[in-house]
Amino acid sequence: MTKTLTNSDLAQFTGTEQLYRHSLVRHIVYTDGARHVAQAGEAYWLLDKIACAQLEPHVSREEFQLWTLTVNQDLSAELVCTDGNEVTVTSEKISFTDFPLPVIKLYVVNNTILVPSEY
């Protein structure tokens, strides 16, 4: 399957018609836009990382979370969660990813993972 995720696709998500329950962390849901990221970018692993981080008290107590995945030219990456005010809550280095975009941002608000245009 060819990855077809683009920033212009993501900008079209301005709300959600359905919420999807995360299969591992049942109190976390995600929107149509986040589902599109997972499907078109073959990145369910990204939703898993964000959802599983919600099991850590220092992460889950943040009411607003900005998650940024930055992919480097060598296909390593860094996933960083901030509180929206540039204070890092948690971060992780990823040794390899074939995620199709150089940068993507996702929010977590009220136990819901969403793309910024859906906020």
Side-chain angles (χ1 to χ4, degrees), residues 13-107:
F13 290 94
T14 57
T16 194
E17 292 184 16
Q18 186 170 346
L19 293 174
Y20 306 88
R21 187 159 308 282
H22 191 270
S23 61
L24 300 173
V25 185
R26 304 296 291 164
H27 71 279
I28 300 297
V29 295
Y30 53 94
T31 62
D32 290 329
R35 183 173 185 241
H36 181 75
V37 169
Q39 288 181 328
E42 296 180 21
Y44 278 100
W45 62 267
L46 180 58
L47 297 186
D48 291 348
K49 285 191 175 290
I50 294 170
C52 288
Q54 304 311 306
L55 299 173
E56 298 293 331
H58 75 282
V59 176
S60 64
R61 74 174 152 247
E62 292 297 331
E63 292 181 22
F64 177 87
Q65 300 166 25
L66 169 59
W67 288 83
T68 305
L69 176 70
T70 305
V71 179
N72 303 311
Q73 288 187 345
D74 67 358
L75 300 181
S76 66
E78 187 171 20
L79 181 61
V80 177
C81 172
T82 67
D83 66 357
N85 293 317
E86 299 183 18
V87 175
T88 299
V89 177
T90 189
S91 66
E92 177 181 353
K93 294 204 181 298
I94 299 168
S95 60
F96 173 81
T97 183
D98 58 356
F99 190 76
L101 297 176
V103 175
I104 189 162
K105 295 179 184 295
L106 295 165
Y107 294 161

